[in-house]
Amino acid sequence: MPGRLEGRIAIVTGGADGIGRAISELFAREGAHVCIADRNKELGTKAVADISGDGGSVHFVPTDIADAASIKAMVAATCTRFGEPNILINNAGYITFTDDPVEATPETWRDIFQVNLEGMWECSRAVIPFMRNAKKGSIVNLGSVHSFQIVTGHFPYAVTKHGVIGLTRSLAVEYGRDNVRVNALCPGMVETPTALRGWAATGDPEGIRKAVGETHPLGRNASPEEMAYPALFLASDESSFMTGQSLIVDGGRSAFYSD
């Protein structure tokens, strides 16, 4: 039986690790040709070896999402290797927290916006012309539960994630007539390697892991694979009448009130 993305050409930014790696693996299993766009060459090379070893069609392009020229080169390499992309997963991003917003430096503000929002737009801008020409395409932007809820001490990360929703809705409206769909996937806490390293640095990784998990009504954190399947739904024709929406996959966290 053909996969749910058979013959599609997908770019996954930040695809060498965490949620992006899980998405890259699943999309390849579902028949897509996958370009992993990531700045970590070691992890990118390993991801290609692992996924291709399982029979997947995958290619790694070292990419700096904060650099528009790097993004354009990555998209050009994808076209050369596989053809014009019709799926984009804007997953790359990072987290930085400032306890007091007025103490955030201009560099902190600029750097996180350059990756989490501007880089997402530059990737979208690079692939949308191909999707418009083909009259078919799906873009999935990674938001967060922080796209809807403000938690103290998470500035300016939460600001960028609110911006992701605005970008998603704007592009969906602008390009819907071209059958280019744009949606956001908004996770709660996911146990990525980055999260695990952060908890390890506290000296009580299991205690922090348990405490964070208990903020979700399901009583636990998500695995990266639990984000890959919703991303697959948004990228595939199964969501063909869905655009401009935010799919919240957060274990019930955004429905839970805590004072």
Side-chain angles (χ1 to χ4, degrees):
M1 177 181 294
R4 293 156 72 182
L5 299 178
E6 195 67 34
R8 305 285 177 87
I9 298 167
I11 293 172
V12 183
T13 69
D17 198 20
I19 295 172
R21 167 69 186 259
I23 291 172
S24 297
E25 291 177 353
L26 179 59
F27 281 23
R29 288 202 303 271
E30 290 293 337
H33 304 289
V34 180
C35 170
I36 295 175
D38 201 294
R39 66 179 182 177
N40 191 313
K41 294 182 180 180
E42 180 179 356
L43 290 179
T45 301
K46 185 178 188 307
V48 168
D50 292 344
I51 296 171
S52 61
D54 290 334
S57 176
V58 62
H59 181 52
F60 168 63
V61 181
T63 309
D64 181 359
I65 298 301
D67 182 350
S70 180
I71 291 169
K72 290 179 182 177
M74 175 271 294
V75 173
T78 302
C79 291
T80 299
R81 180 66 177 262
F82 295 131
E84 297 179 354
N86 40 46
I87 296 171
L88 169 65
I89 308 298
N90 273 317
N91 167 73
Y94 76 97
I95 300 174
T96 184
F97 299 150
T98 304
D99 290 334
D100 185 346
V102 300
E103 297 298 326
T105 66
E107 291 76 21
T108 295
W109 175 272
R110 182 188 64 242
D111 291 349
I112 195 167
F113 267 87
Q114 192 171 30
V115 174
N116 288 11
L117 198 56
E118 186 175 340
M120 188 175 286
W121 161 232
E122 291 293 348
C123 288
S124 300
R125 177 154 63 175
V127 303
I128 284 172
F130 299 120
M131 295 179 176
R132 293 183 75 186
N133 184 59
K135 294 297 182 183
K136 187 176 183 63
S138 177
I139 297 174
V140 181
N141 297 325
L142 265 289
S144 167
V145 66
H146 290 283
S147 296
F148 305 97
Q149 294 184 323
I150 296 299
V151 179
T152 58
H154 289 73
F155 184 93
Y157 173 75
V159 183
T160 67
K161 290 303 179 179
H162 273 66
V164 167
I165 304 306
L167 177 65
T168 297
R169 291 165 61 87
S170 293
L171 295 182
V173 170
E174 295 290 348
Y175 298 111
R177 296 290 183 181
D178 297 304
N179 198 31
V180 177
R181 299 185 301 107
V182 189
N183 292 290
L185 172 60
C186 300
M189 176 53 70
V190 182
E191 293 188 354
T192 63
T194 298
L196 295 176
R197 287 192 296 270
W199 296 338
T202 68
D204 183 21
E206 285 306 312
I208 296 295
R209 179 185 185 187
K210 185 174 186 296
V212 174
E214 287 176 350
T215 66
H216 304 79
L218 287 181
R220 63 177 179 84
N221 304 306
S223 70
E225 290 72 23
E226 288 177 300
M227 296 303 114
Y229 280 95
L232 173 61
F233 167 71
L234 292 175
S236 75
D237 290 341
E238 294 169 11
S239 60
S240 58
F241 199 59
M242 183 175 179
T243 195
Q245 303 304 307
S246 301
L247 182 59
I248 303 174
V249 187
D250 68 350
R253 180 65 184 87
S254 59
F256 174 66
Y257 173 77
S258 177
D259 57 10

